[in-house]
Amino acid sequence: MENKIKIGLIGLGTVGTGVYKTLQEFDNVEIVQIAVHNKNKKRNIPNLDENIITDNAYEVVNNPEIQIVAELIGGTEPAFDLIKTAIANGKHVVTANKELLAKHGEELFNFAEEHNKVVLYEAAIAGGIPLIMPIKTILAGNKINKIKAILNGTTNYILTKMDVQQASYNDVLVEAQDLGYAETNPTGDVEGFDAAYKITTLATIAFNKRVKLENVYREGITKIRPQDMKAANEMGYKIKLIASAELNKNGEADVRVHPMLVPKTKTLAHIDYVTNAVTLTGHPVGEVTLSGPGAGEFPTASSVVGDILAIVSELGRTDYLLPMMRCRHSENAKMVDISETENKYYLSITANNSMGVIGKIGKACEDNNISLASIVQKEVKDGSADITVITELCKEKDMQKAIEIFNSDNSLMKVNNLIRVQV
Ligand code: HSE
């Protein structure tokens, strides 16, 4: 076929390899150059033409033949400069880079708009799940005011394994690392950074206002214990790392990532192992849940290739491609600080077997406007008791004051964990 659209890839790791293989099945596109970190690395890619490989990514973004660049290396630099150079050179861009979008999305989209180029990024949020295009096109008639999502497969895998095996976080992490599900340095996943990047961009698109990463509250999963899993199960919940974004009645955005007790009646409670899922609530659609593979060679390639083909289908037919897919937020979201939010809480306390402990817990809660939904102490063993409390909705700042009171009496009691509960 004449006039194939010329594609340049930056990165030939897991995602790049999936994109390369998938694009071989389309005869209207041709990969003409690929930038890699190490040219000598052995790659299991049939029929890969070594002549199109370079270890200088600037050759790709400066290549006049290339019309679309797919950036698949991640991180902020050199990815940001490479993308800007590609745009300045007249190329459209597809990226899977959630960190770059969360940290520099505004600058990047403004730059693309000034040059009348599009940047598509379906693969950056929840890998293979179609989210960005549905939100920007078929859901465009909605006011979306709530997102609850599982956006990180590594942590969902660890929490699922902890649940089914009654195993500790550390044991499951080591197993997940051995199997290649968790990175050697797992911080980005287990401390919630990866999910925070994703929810920042997702909330920006869904609310049509720019959400700033620095205002997104973040907590990871490292403090979750098998005892918490067991207690949650007994009370009808599963513990999940939830990325959440909500607009309150004043139109302020509450965006965060932290573990939550999710009622077993909710779909997200049943999303296990590396699967991701996103529940969007909006008017007029109501509640929609999309779930599927959030990472991996071919699921992520599916989104990258879909974006490439969307651009290909309009190239040469219009001077202003894909208007509905562009990001032009003029307004920053007003953000709510976590201390001002209202939540329901699960609290695990280990107390000495001494009279009046439950009374003290009740009093500290009462003094801080916290009403208890349930308090359970099953038995006293070896002079101490495990107490599990579920509160009604109360202010975060009031809960933190109560925790200070509990912790001030550490000869009497110890707070093991405080986890928010989805209502
Ligand atoms: N590390 C991510 C996860 C995938 O575990 O879901 C890429 O964003």
Side-chain angles (χ1 to χ4, degrees):
M1 189 196 240
E2 285 306 305
N3 296 327
K4 288 186 180 198
I5 302 296
K6 306 288 191 289
I7 313 287
L9 300 188
I10 302 178
L12 197 56
T14 306
V15 178
T17 301
V19 171
Y20 177 88
K21 289 177 185 165
T22 307
L23 280 178
Q24 302 310 307
E25 291 157 30
F26 293 85
D27 59 9
N28 55 342
V29 293
E30 181 185 356
I31 298 171
V32 294
Q33 201 166 29
I34 305 173
V36 298
H37 185 61
N38 176 4
K39 275 178 87 167
N40 299 322
K41 188 173 159 188
K42 278 263 159 282
R43 293 168 207 278
N44 185 17
I45 304 177
N47 308 321
L48 178 64
D49 177 1
E50 299 292 331
N51 295 318
I52 66 168
I53 307 276
T54 172
D55 53 13
N56 178 3
Y58 282 90
E59 281 184 22
V60 174
V61 293
N62 288 321
N63 183 333
E65 207 191 358
I66 290 173
Q67 291 153 287
I68 303 171
V69 168
E71 179 274 306
L72 309 168
I73 51 173
T76 50
E77 288 300 349
F80 193 18
D81 191 59
L82 286 165
I83 290 178
K84 282 202 287 192
T85 309
I87 291 169
N89 285 334
K91 300 168 200 326
H92 299 281
V93 171
V94 173
T95 177
N97 195 330
K98 63 239 157 187
E99 182 178 356
L100 177 62
L101 292 170
K103 291 183 176 168
H104 300 294
E106 184 172 11
E107 207 179 330
L108 178 60
F109 292 117
N110 287 342
F111 189 79
E113 203 56 25
E114 280 162 24
H115 291 79
N116 188 16
K117 292 290 166 284
V118 290
V119 176
L120 299 187
Y121 48 93
E122 189 68 67
I125 297 148
I129 306 178
L131 264 178
I132 309 304
M133 215 172 267
I135 290 173
K136 286 198 164 272
T137 58
I138 203 66
L139 292 171
N142 282 268
K143 286 248 177 294
I144 296 173
N145 55 23
K146 185 156 117 181
I147 305 167
K148 292 275 181 222
I150 293 173
L151 292 176
N152 184 268
T154 305
T155 46
N156 205 44
Y157 177 88
I158 293 173
L159 291 173
T160 306
K161 278 280 186 179
M162 286 176 69
D163 187 33
V164 297
Q165 295 177 349
Q166 277 294 299
S168 74
Y169 164 77
N170 278 320
D171 287 351
V172 175
L173 173 65
V174 170
E175 187 192 316
Q177 284 170 322
D178 288 346
L179 290 169
Y181 287 134
E183 312 239 2
T184 317
N185 177 356
T187 310
D189 291 314
V190 300
E191 296 295 358
F193 289 99
D194 176 77
Y197 297 149
K198 292 168 178 167
I199 194 71
T200 297
T201 301
L202 193 54
T204 298
I205 295 154
F207 299 159
N208 241 317
K209 293 175 186 170
R210 189 152 288 292
V211 168
K212 300 272 186 192
L213 177 64
E214 59 266 30
N215 298 327
V216 174
Y217 179 80
R218 178 190 52 74
E219 250 178 58
I221 63 160
T222 57
K223 293 194 204 111
I224 307 293
R225 309 162 310 147
Q227 298 94 309
D228 301 317
M229 289 282 179
K230 189 161 178 274
N233 258 302
E234 287 170 1
M235 293 183 295
Y237 299 95
K238 293 283 177 191
I239 300 179
K240 297 286 180 190
L241 183 69
I242 298 295
S244 153
E246 278 189 53
L247 286 180
N248 67 17
K249 55 185 185 309
N250 303 322
E252 298 157 337
D254 168 12
V255 186
R256 30 174 153 146
V257 172
H258 54 58
M260 286 193 104
L261 269 68
V262 180
K264 288 181 192 171
T265 50
K266 303 273 185 196
T267 310
L268 293 189
H270 305 282
I271 303 297
D272 288 332
Y273 298 100
V274 292
T275 303
N276 283 197
V278 180
T279 300
L280 303 168
T281 309
H283 180 77
V285 73
E287 202 174 279
V288 175
T289 300
L290 298 109
S291 81
E297 177 177 341
F298 286 112
T300 312
S302 161
S303 291
V304 173
V305 170
D307 279 346
I308 290 175
L309 296 179
I311 296 171
V312 167
S313 72
E314 295 203 352
L315 269 178
R317 295 180 199 277
T318 167
D319 293 335
Y320 196 73
L321 272 75
L322 297 163
M324 286 185 89
M325 294 305 299
R326 299 189 182 215
C327 290
R328 283 159 294 170
H329 307 101
S330 50
E331 200 187 332
N332 287 333
K334 252 201 180 152
M335 308 271 301
V336 192
D337 189 78
I338 185 88
S339 62
E340 297 300 332
T341 63
E342 276 204 335
N343 305 278
K344 195 174 155 114
Y345 297 87
Y346 154 94
L347 189 58
S348 162
I349 296 173
T350 301
N352 283 347
N353 179 20
S354 126
M355 266 187 284
V357 171
I358 301 259
K360 284 193 177 172
I361 293 172
K363 178 84 174 56
C365 288
E366 183 193 351
D367 290 349
N368 288 289
N369 314 306
I370 300 165
S371 172
L372 303 186
S374 79
I375 181 158
V376 178
Q377 177 190 307
K378 286 192 179 154
E379 60 177 340
V380 177
K381 219 167 147 191
D382 304 326
S384 76
D386 285 326
I387 300 166
T388 304
V389 175
I390 300 279
T391 72
E392 294 187 359
L393 278 176
C394 60
K395 277 240 161 103
E396 172 84 18
K397 62 180 171 200
D398 290 337
M399 190 73 234
Q400 294 302 344
K401 279 191 224 150
I403 296 287
E404 263 178 46
I405 295 173
F406 302 146
N407 282 336
S408 67
D409 210 349
N410 58 10
S411 62
L412 193 62
M413 62 179 102
K414 174 175 169 275
V415 176
N416 300 311
N417 230 333
L418 176 75
I419 307 173
R420 296 168 192 89
V421 179
Q422 188 177 333
V423 281

